[in-house]
Amino acid sequence: MASFIKKIFIISSLFISSTFHISAEAKPVEVCQSFIKNKTDIMLQIFHNTKLTESEKRRDLAVLFQESVDTDWIGKYILGHSWKNATEAEQKQYLKSYREYITHTYVSKYNDEDTKDIYDIKISSVIPTQQNEFLASTLIKVKDDDDIKIDYVLAQSADKCQVHDINIEGVSLILTQRSEFSAAAGFSGINGVIKSMEKQYKMITSSR
Amino acid sequence: MKDLLSLLIIFFLTSCSTANIANIKNSETEIDPFEARDTLKPLNKKIFSLNLALDETIIGPVAHTYHHVPEWGRRHINNFLTNLDEPLNFVNGLLQARPDIAFASFWRFILNTTIGFGGVNDFASKAGLKHYDEGFSKTLGSYGVDEGIYLVLPVIGPSSVRDTTGLVADWFLDPLGWLMNTTETITQITMDGITTRDNEDAVIEQFYYDSIEPYSATRAAYLQHSAFKH
């Protein structure tokens, strides 16, 4: 049975390349294929880089995560109608807190033991789902274990690709967090959500 | 791996249709689609709080202590416990009319029990026999039975009507279960619980302790993953 530990750690490593810039001649599908290929190649390099300590890998992953994932878009989406009701100052503070929270929630879980058996990442398909949006399906190949299926929703804007959702073994990041954040905002409003994220962020960074 | 703590029998005969996960993202509605599956929410939330407290005080610390066992030792224990599930996988393979699953599970059990020294070595995987993780819930799914409403079971955690029914049925269907005495059964269940908690540590930490609203996050993740598995 594939260890789910590995699956969750992989989340943190899916964003390890810098933002991928699109050449004028490339077709959108090819651009997204290259984007994913580029990310996964660099991910494997970091995983298997024996010169970096775990802490250094986590630091690099955090930077690359923020460059590759559209945390502002995700942050707005998962808050639901509470976003519209918030003031500009609240929105700004919320997005800043969310960026720190989501990055460190995932990246802090990286460790070498859980990724040492990953030897390849296959891109099964990249298909358009709607205008400027693509679904990239990948399979993480793990030695002596089941493949892990991870899908990405990629959004393509003016000159770059960014990740809008990650679906690991059927679990969507944005659907899960929309349920979570909408409920939290319903209990305590956007300021309560901000306080909760800051509290969790402090706990995560102090314990790891 | 064999479902944990099959002793607990909670059998609700209510159900509702499964949410169409694929369409949720594009929905304009502000209603949480997972909320609609949670018709026993007040009770579920109480049990969830109890489980959280149990995990913080007993189950989590025990699993973290177990994690100090060297990796090779934990792997052998996992192999041993996984091998004990093969007869049940075989039965469910037959019930699903899947001879490939029944065949693989049967020979995995034979080979690992003998050449694999009682199952501690997974010889069968090296020989190319794939491990299937089959339970009666999956069998029901293969018959088209809907998942039903969301449930939180004491100690076990997130479940559904179909998964809970599957747990109970597996308890009776497991051929090894009929051969083991009470002490052996309790030992197996306890070890299953500890190894599962250890194997799923990152996921449990993520949803129980790193979420800003653990109940909703756990429910959403469970319902999506369950729909994906079946």
Side-chain angles (χ1 to χ4, degrees), chain A residues 1 3-5 8 77 80-81 101 105-106 109 130 133 169-172 175-176 179-180 183-184 200 208, chain B residues 21 24-26 29-30 32 133 198-200 202-203 205-206 209-213 216-217 220-221 224-225 228:
Chain A
M1 186 172 106
S3 166
F4 216 90
I5 299 172
I8 208 78
Y77 177 79
H81 67 84
Y101 166 75
T105 295
Y106 288 111
K109 287 184 174 58
Q130 49 185 296
E133 192 177 281
E169 300 273 313
V171 181
S172 153
L175 291 185
T176 304
S179 183
E180 176 188 357
Q200 289 299 82
R208 289 170 179 136
Chain B
I21 305 295
I24 292 169
K25 189 192 156 195
N26 293 325
T29 179
E30 288 294 340
D32 184 343
D133 191 13
D198 178 51
N199 289 337
E200 308 295 331
V203 177
E205 290 282 326
Q206 169 82 37
Y209 301 112
D210 292 348
S211 300
I212 63 165
E213 217 289 285
S216 301
Q224 290 174 83
H225 187 58
F228 173 82

Side-chain angles (χ1 to χ4, degrees), chain B residues 2 6-7 9 166-174 177-178 185 189:
Chain B
K2 183 176 180 179
S6 310
L7 286 167
I9 299 172
L167 269 178
V168 178
D170 285 340
W171 177 257
F172 292 104
L173 287 172
D174 186 358
W178 292 94
T185 302
I189 289 168

Side-chain angles (χ1 to χ4, degrees), chain A residues 31-207:
Chain A
V31 169
C32 289
Q33 277 172 338
S34 301
F35 174 75
I36 285 294
K37 180 82 172 67
N38 177 263
K39 281 170 168 297
T40 51
D41 285 349
I42 300 172
M43 179 185 81
L44 285 173
Q45 285 169 18
I46 291 192
F47 279 176
H48 300 144
N49 188 338
T50 52
K51 290 176 185 169
L52 292 176
T53 65
E54 283 187 348
S55 173
E56 287 168 337
K57 287 179 185 179
R58 278 194 284 267
R59 178 204 59 203
D60 291 350
L61 288 169
V63 173
L64 293 165
F65 181 101
Q66 292 183 348
E67 286 176 346
S68 303
V69 179
D70 193 347
T71 54
D72 284 359
W73 183 89
I74 295 174
K76 287 176 202 170
Y77 177 79
I78 62 173
L79 200 60
H81 67 84
S82 298
W83 172 260
K84 292 171 192 162
N85 299 335
T87 65
E88 201 174 317
E90 286 171 336
Q91 289 178 345
K92 198 175 169 186
Q93 180 58 39
Y94 165 78
L95 290 179
K96 180 179 176 289
S97 299
Y98 179 71
R99 197 174 304 123
E100 287 174 342
Y101 166 75
I102 188 71
T103 303
H104 290 281
T105 295
Y106 288 111
V107 172
S108 64
K109 287 184 174 58
Y110 173 83
N111 70 51
D112 287 337
E113 186 192 334
D114 293 305
T115 52
K116 67 179 165 43
D117 291 333
I118 295 171
Y119 64 90
D120 196 11
I121 299 167
K122 296 276 185 202
I123 300 163
S124 316
S125 63
V126 179
I127 52 168
T129 48
Q130 49 185 296
Q131 196 176 9
N132 300 325
E133 192 177 281
F134 297 86
L135 180 70
S137 299
T138 66
L139 283 177
I140 311 289
K141 313 294 277 186
V142 186
K143 189 185 164 195
D144 296 331
D145 217 330
D146 294 338
D147 295 342
I148 301 164
K149 182 175 163 52
I150 303 186
D151 295 339
Y152 304 89
V153 175
L154 304 173
Q156 186 185 332
S157 59
D159 67 339
K160 62 182 182 180
C161 257
Q162 279 195 300
V163 174
H164 271 199
D165 192 17
I166 310 143
N167 190 308
I168 302 177
E169 300 273 313
V171 181
S172 153
L173 167 72
I174 62 169
L175 291 185
T176 304
Q177 288 204 325
R178 189 174 166 103
S179 183
E180 176 188 357
F181 277 62
S182 299
F187 297 141
S188 54
I190 190 168
N191 287 314
V193 172
I194 293 167
K195 278 181 190 161
S196 298
M197 284 192 295
E198 287 172 349
K199 187 179 158 199
Q200 289 299 82
Y201 172 71
K202 278 180 192 158
M203 277 174 57
I204 292 163
T205 50
S206 65
S207 65

